[in-house]
């Protein structure tokens, strides 16, 4: 702007001077504003330090410690006491960083996340109850399912027309008699899971019971994920018949998502199938007999199959055992 003023002072037209300086003509000719320091006016009725301290003391007293400023103002005004306006009380609280929720709120203690570790089968079981659609709308069956978290194997399943702690205890007793008594049984906080009947049964068997945290829906992940896998499967029927067809329903629940036959007791993960066996590759048969379109391919890979076939087959069989 100094250069522009020098050019215009020597008689250069404003348009030419603005073009030489590189500024718009309107910007160059605009008169700059001068900001004058404005004097801060202090109100005559401004509260001093002692009055602000008195307001803060009254607001934080035992009588008003959990009340908002509007209620404090109203109660004092009913008694004929004018402490300060509502906005002034808020202003004093803001200066002391006390503008927050003043009511007494429940403080929930932090709960530890339940962590269960299973190093082998038969150590930790998890169970839950899910609804199955019945023959008519609004009619449901309750499926009691217990899973071994080490191998995701279904060790027990029962279907009943209603949810009951007695039925849950019967399912546990039968499951423990077949697969053995585990060390820990985990479940959510349903009425049947936290009932005295189930608690007494686990206490008599010296089994540690574990429950999900309150208001936490993902602390029982193995049972919930299995229920979703079951109900999202393409072969899951829209509805089941009556309880008279329980063998068919039990067969679907037990055999629909895991290989059969089920071993009575699983001592190792290799003897405890939890997934389907691997499907054979389509090219294995062609490689074994040789491809007439590529005769050299079978000769080149015959030696590698001979050296690696045994080790690879044993590794796959140890990880993915085939059902007999």
């Amino acid at each position: 702007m100094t250069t522009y003023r020098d050019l215009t002072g020597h008689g250069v037209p404003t348009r030419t001077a603005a073009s030489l300086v590189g500024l718009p003509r309107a910007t160059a000719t605009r008169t700059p504003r001068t900001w004058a320091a404005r004097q801060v006016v202090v109100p005559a009725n401004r509260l001093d330090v002692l009055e602000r301290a008195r307001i803060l003391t009254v607001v934080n007293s035992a009588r008003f410690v959990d009340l908002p400023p509007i209620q404090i103002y109203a109660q004092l005004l009913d008694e004929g006491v004018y402490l300060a306006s509502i906005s002034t009380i808020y202003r004093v609280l803001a200066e002391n960083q006390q503008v927050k929720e003043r009511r007494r709120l429940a403080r929930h203690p932090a709960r530890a996340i339940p962590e269960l570790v299973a190093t082998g089968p038969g150590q930790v079981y998890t169970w839950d109850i899910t609804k199955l659609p019945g023959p008519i709308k609004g009619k449901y069956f309750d499926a009691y399912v217990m899973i071994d978290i080490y191998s995701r194997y279904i060790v027990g399943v029962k279907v009943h027309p209603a949810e009951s702690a007695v039925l849950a205890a019967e399912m546990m007793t039968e499951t423990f008699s077949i697969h053995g008594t585990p060390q820990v049984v985990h479940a959510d906080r349903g009425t049947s899971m936290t009932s005295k009947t189930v608690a007494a049964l686990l206490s008599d068997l010296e089994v540690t019971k574990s429950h999900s945290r309150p208001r936490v829906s993902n602390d029982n992940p193995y049972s919930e994920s299995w229920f979703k896998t079951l109900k999202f499967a393409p072969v899951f029927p829209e509805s089941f018949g009556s309880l008279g067809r329980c063998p068919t329903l039990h067969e679907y629940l037990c055999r629909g998502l895991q290989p059969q036959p089920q071993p009575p007791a699983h001592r190792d993960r290799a003897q405890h199938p939890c997934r389907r066996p691997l499907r054979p590759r389509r090219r294995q048969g062609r490689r074994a007999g040789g491809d007439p379109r590529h005769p050299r391919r079978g000769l080149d890979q015959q030696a590698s199959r001979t050296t690696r076939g045994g080790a690879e087959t044993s590794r796959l069989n140890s990880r993915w055992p085939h059902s007999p």
Side-chain angles (χ1 to χ4, degrees):
M1 297 297 295
T2 304
T3 306
Y4 173 80
R5 294 190 184 95
D6 294 341
L7 292 176
T8 55
H10 289 79
V12 180
T14 57
R15 187 184 301 275
T16 305
S19 177
L20 292 175
V21 176
L23 293 175
R25 186 182 178 186
T27 302
T29 57
R30 184 180 298 116
T31 304
R33 294 182 179 181
T34 56
W35 297 95
R38 189 172 58 179
Q39 184 180 2
V40 179
V41 179
V42 180
N45 58 346
R46 180 182 180 181
L47 299 178
D48 56 11
V49 179
L50 296 179
E51 292 175 336
R52 291 174 179 269
R54 176 173 172 268
I55 293 175
L56 192 62
T57 303
V58 173
V59 170
N60 292 334
S61 62
R63 178 185 175 186
F64 302 117
V65 68
D66 56 347
L67 296 179
I70 187 172
Q71 295 186 15
I72 299 174
Y73 173 83
Q75 291 186 15
L76 291 178
L77 202 61
D78 291 340
E79 299 174 1
V81 178
Y82 179 81
L83 182 65
S85 64
I86 300 176
S87 59
T88 301
I89 298 176
Y90 270 111
R91 192 179 302 111
V92 173
L93 291 175
E95 292 176 356
N96 295 271
Q97 298 181 357
Q98 296 185 16
V99 179
K100 56 183 179 180
E101 181 60 57
R102 298 175 57 85
R103 294 174 298 177
R104 295 183 181 273
L105 301 178
R107 298 185 180 274
H108 302 284
R111 298 180 181 270
I113 301 177
E115 296 180 355
L116 301 176
V117 179
T119 59
Q123 296 180 2
V124 181
Y125 288 171
T126 175
W127 72 286
D128 202 352
I129 302 175
T130 185
K131 297 289 185 179
L132 300 177
I136 59 177
K137 185 177 180 180
K139 176 67 175 180
Y140 296 94
F141 299 133
D142 292 278
Y144 301 68
V145 183
M146 180 168 285
I147 304 174
D148 186 344
I149 70 170
Y150 179 75
S151 57
R152 319 296 192 271
Y153 190 79
I154 304 174
V155 294
V157 55
K158 287 291 183 179
V159 181
H160 297 287
E163 179 179 348
S164 172
V166 178
L167 299 176
E170 293 178 358
M171 185 269 295
M172 289 185 180
T173 304
E174 181 179 352
T175 301
F176 296 164
S177 63
I178 298 176
H179 299 279
T181 304
Q183 301 175 4
V184 182
V185 172
H186 179 75
D188 54 22
R189 292 184 175 271
T191 56
S192 299
M193 294 73 173
T194 58
S195 61
K196 293 183 178 180
T197 305
V198 176
L201 174 63
L202 298 179
S203 177
D204 295 341
L205 298 177
E206 297 182 355
V207 178
T208 304
K209 63 176 183 177
S210 173
H211 292 290
S212 304
R213 291 170 292 174
R215 296 173 297 277
V216 178
S217 60
N218 58 351
D219 273 355
N220 195 10
Y222 298 118
S223 296
E224 299 295 344
S225 62
W226 189 87
F227 289 157
K228 183 174 182 179
T229 303
L230 171 72
K231 296 182 179 181
F232 278 69
V235 295
F236 187 77
E238 295 183 359
S239 62
F240 293 92
S242 61
L243 285 179
R245 302 181 57 190
C246 279
T248 304
L249 187 57
H250 287 173
E251 179 181 0
Y252 177 81
L253 292 175
C254 295
R255 304 179 183 179
L257 299 177
Q258 63 185 14
Q260 289 296 316
Q262 302 179 17
H266 44 278
R267 302 183 181 276
D268 191 7
R269 192 180 183 90
Q271 302 176 3
H272 189 4
C274 60
R275 300 179 183 176
R276 296 181 181 273
L278 290 179
R279 296 180 179 179
R281 295 184 178 180
R282 296 181 179 180
R283 295 185 296 176
Q284 287 181 353
R286 182 176 295 177
R287 287 183 178 180
D291 192 350
R293 296 177 298 177
H294 305 280
R296 188 63 184 172
R297 179 181 296 173
L299 298 178
D300 294 340
Q301 298 177 354
Q302 182 177 4
S304 62
R305 289 199 310 271
T306 304
T307 56
R308 295 184 302 172
E312 185 177 1
T313 304
S314 61
R315 178 177 62 85
L316 292 177
N317 288 341
S318 62
R319 185 177 181 183
W320 309 103
H322 292 262
S323 301

